[in-house]
Amino acid sequence: MFLDTVLTRNPALVDAATALHASGAVPPDTYVLDADAVEANAALLAAEAERLGLSLWFVAKQFGRNPALVRVVARHIPRFAAIDPDEARTLHAAGAGAGNLGHLVQIPRRALPEMLAWRPEAVTVFDLANARAVSEAAGRLGLVQDVFVRIEAAAGSGHPGQEGGVPPAALDGFAAAVERLPSVRIAGVTAFPCVVCDPDTGRPASADGFGRALDAREVLTARGHQGLGLSAPGATSVATLPLLARLGATHGEPGHALTGTTPLHAADPHRPERPAYVYVTEVAHTLADGRPALFGGGFYARGGVRAALLPRTGLRLRVCDAPAEYIDYYRLLDPPAPGSGGVEVGDTAVLAFRTQIFVTRSTVAVVAGLTEGKPRLTGLYDARGRALGGAAS
């Protein structure tokens, strides 16, 4: 999906990943991330948001909640939107500020005292029971916590496994109940997704969720809630921030833009953000029909993976489709053409596709110095951001 983009915009990363794997410094099933590119992307996003009067909360699940990268992002975007409690703890420990908690996964009520003590800017609530739990925990801490109301997606427009939120028809009654809670304040609304990209062209457009969030803000404003925020996550990037500002959002939540891997970047390699990761693995064996098998562990069902580069010979081979029942032990490639140089066990393979590193079992290698032409491996981590083998955290 992104192989042409990364070869066009960041070929030094491909070279560095190939060298690290060939030397044994990184194992197969490793994402190699360019810290310089991540920081440059964060700076671009922060500058454009400031120009447009928008605030940003960054999202880190895509790059494995990696603390080294969290720190470089936080130099430019200080606060995060954590998708679940594990992520919130990892990002908080790395020194980033809590922006929006509960934005995809509600905070378990037993974790609320710990996380509200961090004084997050907002806590997203999906229903009245969660709003009550936040109020009770905040009250015990002597706080009044700002909450964002998650609006339920229209049928067929959300993502499986991400269901929840206040139905628009029930918002008035929900708000009336929350207004009686002593230790929360309705401060904004959100929905997901608010922006989507055309799968063929990558062109961004507002989604149904954006309209629902705007309507919900009007309902709440009519009830006397002033200055309400509207966070509009989904494909947040330099290209989509003007759309957010024009339609009335106050917050964006960049994730894939930090690594230059939104659908826009697959369609157009010259988007401002530079691609910042590749996946490196190796040939494990070859089937009798000639198809090479790569070690897996980092493939993602919605990743759009298409091709693998084998740097030893320069071969580019199509990645075979995987059925729904697939288990990520290996991933097959098309057989090489006769006379192309062939494939050997142990050959390095470099791929670039859309991922969610936190749901893989991959290693994450962070590389710095590519901008100066002096790449150095600064640490190895697991897919949840924990340092491996004495790597710096």
Side-chain angles (χ1 to χ4, degrees), residues 80-113:
F80 60 81
I83 64 122
D84 63 20
D86 282 348
E87 182 162 294
R89 292 187 179 101
T90 300
L91 274 57
H92 176 71
N100 183 11
L101 304 183
H103 107 135
L104 285 181
V105 178
Q106 292 288 267
I107 304 172
R109 60 181 55 221
R110 293 172 184 83
L112 282 167

Side-chain angles (χ1 to χ4, degrees), residues 85-288:
D86 282 348
E87 182 162 294
R89 292 187 179 101
T90 300
L91 274 57
H92 176 71
N100 183 11
L101 304 183
H103 107 135
L104 285 181
V105 178
Q106 292 288 267
I107 304 172
R109 60 181 55 221
R110 293 172 184 83
L112 282 167
E114 170 196 2
M115 295 185 182
L116 295 187
W118 304 342
R119 301 304 301 270
E121 289 185 329
V123 172
T124 292
V125 293
F126 283 35
D127 58 18
L128 185 56
N130 277 280
R132 286 192 181 113
V134 173
S135 180
E136 290 166 4
R140 287 193 292 271
L141 292 170
L143 308 173
V144 175
Q145 175 63 54
D146 282 354
V147 296
F148 272 43
V149 182
R150 161 73 171 253
I151 305 302
E152 184 182 51
S157 68
H159 297 306
Q162 299 181 29
E163 298 86 356
V166 178
L171 180 58
D172 209 52
F174 170 86
V178 172
E179 288 160 6
R180 293 192 290 270
L181 299 176
S183 298
V184 292
R185 183 181 77 92
I186 294 175
V189 296
T190 189
F192 187 80
C194 288
V195 176
V196 294
C197 296
D198 183 280
D200 296 320
T201 67
R203 187 175 296 114
S206 62
D208 178 81
F210 212 141
R212 287 192 159 211
L214 288 166
D215 290 345
R217 184 165 64 179
E218 288 186 12
V219 170
L220 294 172
T221 300
R223 293 188 61 87
H225 299 279
Q226 300 299 313
L228 292 172
L230 192 161
S231 188
T236 305
S237 68
V238 169
T240 63
L241 287 173
L243 175 67
L244 268 60
R246 176 166 56 82
L247 293 180
T250 60
H251 292 73
E253 300 183 10
H256 276 291
L258 294 166
T259 51
T261 53
T262 74
L264 286 77
H265 296 85
D268 178 2
H270 299 290
R271 293 288 177 177
E273 300 94 341
R274 195 160 78 248
Y277 69 73
V278 293
Y279 181 65
V280 63
T281 187
E282 69 183 56
V283 176
H285 58 277
T286 300
L287 277 60

Side-chain angles (χ1 to χ4, degrees), residues 324-342:
E325 63 270 23
Y326 161 80
I327 297 177
D328 189 13
Y329 298 130
Y330 303 102
R331 193 66 184 262
L332 298 176
L333 306 179
D334 278 354
S340 62

Side-chain angles (χ1 to χ4, degrees), residues 10 33-46 56-63 69-70 72-77 79-81 91 235-238 253-262 265 272-277 354:
N10 200 351
L33 284 117
D34 177 354
D36 296 0
V38 170
E39 180 161 11
N41 293 340
L44 284 171
L45 287 156
L56 297 179
W57 292 319
F58 74 87
V59 179
K61 63 191 176 78
Q62 293 90 342
F63 58 78
L69 299 177
V70 166
V72 302
V73 171
R75 291 173 192 158
H76 307 278
I77 306 172
R79 292 184 176 269
F80 60 81
L91 274 57
T236 305
S237 68
V238 169
E253 300 183 10
H256 276 291
L258 294 166
T259 51
T261 53
T262 74
H265 296 85
E273 300 94 341
R274 195 160 78 248
Y277 69 73
R354 187 173 173 88

